[in-house]
RNA sequence: GGUCAGAUGGCCGAGUGGCUAGGCUCAGCUCUGCAAAAGCUGCUACAGCGGUUCGAAUCCGCUUCUGACCUCCA
């Protein structure tokens, strides 16, 4: 069996995962800013890191998964007048900031649940950790790496860069950045354009502001993650995840702040998922192609021909490696929808199947099935190769289906059969989190009713009364239930 | 403009120095009262041009094209 390897964005290498304090693993993932509705772009990182979280637990680690909620307003654009994003939106909607934040947080939680993402161990909010952030800023000032100007506090990037490699994570050269940002206006307050804000003085009209040693204001964007990660995971922890767009400046700045404040680099493994596109184009507000998750699931967006279920979206995401860009199109989503059904059908069939040796055991077939099961683990260990795992499961699905339909004899050993069963369960249910959305709630009574209908139809068919049997079948299909005639009788499922 | 990624069959997408990825679509077949479902078979690709190599789609260089980041962003 191979060991888990993950691509570390910091070293740009695939590295063997070795926790700092096994069996414990500390994992921090940047959460959403809850000033808007949860959209397609959010689905990618949270599904990706949910699978990592599930897999680490599956491997036996005790994981503390921290994912924050950014509910404090932040300046929109550095160099221009500070704008409190949350407050601005709140004024438009005539809501209290807290009301707005709660509304979008609730939507976010609902969407995460639909996507079958497990809840993090700790979900800290920025506004709930103002004190910690102020303390860290005070510490940075005391250590001489931050300075106060007119009620705002900035991090001294140039000083930091003398002893540290600022830009290593994002592959940037400080001198270039300084040269490139000279044209920006209103850099006046900063000693240098590359410096970033730790604390911003709030204008009187800002709704969200707090008392600090530097007057009324609000925290800079980067400091919250440093403060909260340190508080809950310690000065150095195992994994920090997020979207690639956060590499710079967010994570670069996090490294700088935490390294000075804690005296050592904060993270052992940096992991970044790639971005999504819609019909080949970046999704963004300025492109007018932002699709919220609610629109995705219900199909209420002009770019969508239909709704796609949360698990279809999840499956679609997992069919692509997390470090590649992922393009959402109607055609590819429809393909994913069908593929998912096929996989889950095989999974259900296998779950309900009992071992029966009907024929001689083919040792070649037996070892082939065994190898494919082992492959799943190796593929998952190779930097979360979920796309490959799914391909392998599809391979195995053909066998399962042919056994079920009697198209091929079950020529594997009972031991292999049990391994196969466990592999499907472990990967589909436990690790990838692909639940069957068609089986809901009142399955028991529903099935009893369906068995009755099926038996009536069978009687009709035996009497060659195909008119009746076809009415039953076709009307059920209209009602969203599909009958499947097989060797061992008829089964049904919601379509 | 700077930096960094990609360019794979009808579509989506893995992956790899030599051996069929997989999914969807399409065609044929098997099964079936008919269909659906399922299985089987077929369609076999790696942008272009050089180079390294016994051998490259996989390594190197150049060209073309696309995308991302550099600003709030997942």
């Amino acid at each position: 069996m191979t060991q888990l390897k993950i691509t570390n964005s910091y070293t740009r290498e695939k590295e063997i995962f070795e926790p700092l304090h096994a069996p414990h693993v500390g994992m921090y993932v940047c959460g959403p800013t809850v000033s808007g509705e949860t959209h397609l772009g959010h689905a990618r990182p949270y599904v990706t890191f949910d699978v990592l979280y599930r897999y680490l637990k599956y491997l036996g680690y005790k994981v503390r998964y921290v994912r924050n909620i950014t509910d404090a307003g932040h300046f929109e654009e550095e160099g221009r007048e500070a704008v409190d994003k949350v407050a601005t939106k709140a004024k438009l909607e005539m809501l209290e900031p807290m009301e707005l934040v709660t509304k979008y947080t609730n939507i976010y939680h609902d969407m995460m649940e639909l996507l079958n993402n497990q809840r993090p161990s700790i979900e800290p909010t920025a506004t709930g950790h103002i004190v910690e952030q102020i303390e860290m800023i005070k510490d940075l000032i005391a250590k001489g790496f931050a300075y106060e100007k007119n009620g705002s506090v900035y991090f001294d990037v140039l000083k930091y860069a003398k002893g540290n490699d600022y830009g290593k994570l994002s592959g940037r050269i400080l001198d270039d950045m300084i040269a490139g940002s000279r044209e920006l206006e209103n850099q006046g307050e900063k000693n240098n354009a590359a410096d970033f804000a730790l604390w911003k003085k709030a204008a009187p009209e800002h709704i969200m502001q707090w008392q600090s040693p530097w007057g009324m204001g609000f925290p800079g964007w980067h400091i919250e993650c440093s403060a909260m990660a340190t508080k809950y995971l310690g000065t150095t922890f195992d994994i920090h995840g997020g979207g690639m767009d956060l590499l710079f400046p967010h994570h670069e700045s996090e490294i700088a702040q935490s390294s000075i404040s804690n005296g050592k680099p904060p993270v052992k493994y940096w992991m970044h998922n790639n971005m999504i596109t819609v019909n080949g184009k970046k999704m963004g507000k300025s492109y007018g192609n932002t699709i919220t998750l609610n629109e995705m699931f219900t199909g209420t967006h002009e770019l969508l021909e239909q709704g796609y279920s949360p698990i279809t979206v999840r499956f679609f995401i997992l069919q692509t490696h997390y470090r590649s860009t992922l393009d959402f199109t109607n055609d590819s989503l429809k393909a994913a929808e069908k593929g998912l059904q096929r996989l889950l059908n095989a999974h259900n069939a296998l779950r309900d199947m009992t071992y029966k040796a009907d024929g001689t055991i083919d040792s070649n077939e037996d070892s082939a099935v065994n190898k494919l099961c082992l492959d799943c683990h190796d593929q998952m260990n190779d930097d979360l190769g979920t796309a490959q795992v799914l391909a392998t499961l599809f391979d195995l699905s053909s066998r399962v289906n042919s056994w079920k339909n009697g198209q091929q004899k079950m020529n594997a050993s009972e031991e292999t059969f049990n391994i196969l069963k466990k592999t499907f369960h472990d990967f589909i249910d436990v690790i990838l989190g692909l639940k069957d959305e068609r089986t809901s709630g009142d399955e028991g009574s529903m099935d009893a009713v369906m068995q009755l209908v099926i038996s009536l139809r069978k009687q009709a068919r035996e009497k060659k009364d195909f008119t009746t049997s076809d009415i039953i079948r076709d009307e059920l299909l209209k009602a969203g239930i599909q009958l499947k005639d097989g060797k061992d009788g008829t089964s049904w499922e919601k379509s």
Side-chain angles (χ1 to χ4, degrees):
Chain A
M1 182 80 73
T2 52
Q3 287 176 281
L4 173 61
K5 283 185 282 184
I6 53 180
T7 298
N8 187 346
S9 310
Y10 193 72
T11 59
R12 293 157 193 239
E13 304 268 341
K14 220 184 268 184
E15 300 174 2
I16 292 174
F17 177 69
E18 288 170 326
L20 294 159
H21 310 288
H24 297 281
V25 172
M27 176 161 107
Y28 188 96
V29 173
C30 287
T33 301
V34 284
S35 61
E37 194 171 332
T38 310
H39 56 70
L40 208 45
H42 295 108
R44 187 95 192 262
Y46 305 132
V47 167
T48 298
F49 290 105
D50 179 63
V51 168
L52 177 61
Y53 177 46
R54 287 164 174 267
Y55 190 53
L56 289 170
K57 288 196 291 183
Y58 175 79
L59 292 176
Y61 294 115
K62 301 197 183 323
V63 187
R64 179 178 291 172
Y65 175 21
V66 180
R67 190 179 64 201
N68 65 294
I69 298 268
T70 298
D71 58 350
H74 293 296
F75 42 89
E76 289 274 21
E77 288 175 300
E78 236 180 325
R80 291 199 197 175
E81 193 177 22
V83 175
D84 183 323
K85 190 196 272 184
V86 171
T88 305
K89 194 78 186 288
K91 279 175 191 165
L92 289 173
E93 300 197 2
M94 297 303 283
L95 288 167
E96 278 296 316
M98 192 68 197
E99 189 180 357
L100 184 85
V101 158
T102 304
K103 173 185 166 186
Y104 289 127
T105 299
N106 287 340
I107 291 173
Y108 165 67
H109 282 150
D110 290 347
M111 294 303 140
M112 292 301 108
E113 176 132 7
L114 285 169
L115 285 168
N116 205 209
N117 285 336
Q118 294 184 343
R119 294 171 187 180
S121 323
I122 299 175
E123 193 171 52
T125 60
T127 54
H129 296 75
I130 298 292
V131 172
E132 287 83 353
Q133 296 178 67
I134 289 174
E135 286 305 309
M136 188 173 262
I137 295 167
K138 279 161 69 178
D139 184 50
L140 290 170
I141 293 174
K143 285 175 174 155
F145 283 86
Y147 56 90
E148 188 256 327
K149 279 269 179 76
N150 305 323
S152 294
V153 182
Y154 298 96
F155 187 87
D156 189 340
V157 170
L158 286 195
K159 180 168 182 181
Y160 172 79
K162 280 175 190 161
N164 302 276
D165 194 350
Y166 186 81
K168 177 171 164 61
L169 177 70
S170 53
R172 242 152 267 253
I173 295 159
L174 186 57
D175 287 342
D176 294 348
M177 285 157 48
I178 294 166
S181 57
R182 237 168 232 154
E183 294 149 26
L184 288 177
E185 294 172 7
N186 297 329
Q187 295 285 2
E189 224 169 65
K190 296 182 191 175
N191 286 349
N192 192 284
D195 294 350
F196 57 85
L198 295 166
W199 186 266
K200 290 289 280 185
K201 178 182 182 169
E205 63 268 25
H206 274 236
I207 298 171
M208 297 185 103
Q209 51 179 292
W210 292 266
Q211 184 62 252
S212 80
W214 318 285
M216 296 301 287
F218 56 92
W221 176 37
H222 316 306
I223 195 72
E224 64 173 90
C225 289
S226 287
M228 296 190 290
T230 302
K231 174 164 183 173
Y232 296 115
L233 296 173
T235 50
T236 302
F237 54 96
D238 296 293
I239 298 169
H240 189 129
M244 276 185 184
D245 54 331
L246 298 179
L247 276 166
F248 188 87
H250 187 52
H251 290 158
E252 199 73 70
S253 303
E254 251 186 89
I255 291 175
Q257 295 162 352
S258 294
S259 294
I260 294 302
S261 182
N262 298 330
K264 51 186 172 180
V267 175
K268 188 170 181 188
Y269 304 98
W270 283 92
M271 292 178 73
H272 292 92
N273 63 276
N274 213 137
M275 313 305 279
I276 65 145
T277 52
V278 175
N279 295 326
K281 285 183 192 151
K282 177 191 162 126
M283 192 184 83
K285 281 154 208 153
S286 49
Y287 298 84
N289 61 350
T290 300
I291 301 176
T292 69
L293 283 177
N294 186 53
E295 289 167 339
M296 192 71 198
F297 301 155
T298 56
T300 51
H301 190 284
E302 59 178 5
L303 293 175
L304 298 173
E305 290 170 13
Q306 61 173 84
Y308 302 96
S309 79
I311 300 300
T312 297
V313 172
R314 186 181 177 96
F315 173 82
F316 182 64
I317 289 169
L318 295 176
Q319 259 193 320
T320 303
H321 188 87
Y322 75 94
R323 292 183 59 82
S324 301
T325 52
L326 173 62
D327 190 33
F328 279 80
T329 63
N330 280 293
D331 285 349
S332 55
L333 281 161
K334 274 188 258 189
E337 187 174 56
K338 287 208 168 185
L340 173 66
Q341 301 303 326
R342 207 162 85 76
L343 183 67
L344 291 178
N345 287 346
H347 181 35
N348 292 340
L350 180 62
R351 189 192 53 214
D352 299 338
M353 206 182 284
T354 50
Y355 183 75
K356 50 174 183 187
D358 51 1
T360 51
I361 291 169
D362 181 339
S363 62
N364 286 334
E365 180 67 8
D366 195 58
S367 59
V369 171
N370 254 307
K371 183 179 181 306
L372 288 172
C373 290
L374 276 174
D375 282 350
C376 289
H377 292 90
D378 290 341
Q379 289 158 347
M380 196 64 195
N381 280 336
D382 187 7
D383 201 20
L384 306 183
T386 55
Q388 291 178 76
V389 169
L390 288 170
T392 305
L393 291 173
F394 273 112
D395 254 356
L396 290 165
S397 293
S398 296
R399 281 185 173 77
V400 169
N401 283 327
S402 62
W403 288 347
K404 181 196 168 206
N405 296 341
Q407 288 151 326
Q408 189 184 323
K409 299 219 166 178
M410 198 185 284
N411 47 11
S413 69
E414 182 161 15
E415 189 189 358
T416 301
F417 178 78
N418 288 329
I419 289 172
L420 177 63
K421 249 187 165 173
K422 183 166 163 40
T423 300
F424 263 71
H425 172 257
D426 286 356
F427 279 90
I428 294 177
D429 299 328
V430 180
I431 297 168
L432 299 180
L434 299 171
K435 67 176 179 189
D436 198 332
E437 295 161 313
R438 298 166 298 185
T439 53
S440 59
D442 55 347
E443 206 57 11
S445 58
M446 182 70 178
D447 191 58
V449 172
M450 285 308 302
Q451 291 311 324
L452 173 66
V453 175
I454 286 169
S455 110
L456 289 172
R457 175 164 169 269
K458 189 181 171 201
Q459 287 175 32
R461 291 175 74 199
E462 281 166 355
K463 285 186 278 187
K464 305 273 185 205
D465 179 6
F466 296 124
T467 311
T468 302
S469 71
D470 286 356
I471 286 172
I472 291 173
R473 181 222 288 155
D474 297 343
E475 290 303 313
L476 281 174
L477 192 61
K478 282 183 197 165
I481 290 168
Q482 184 181 38
L483 294 182
K484 301 202 287 193
D485 294 330
K487 271 248 155 61
D488 303 324
T490 302
S491 60
W492 68 279
E493 71 182 34
K494 290 181 187 173
S495 57

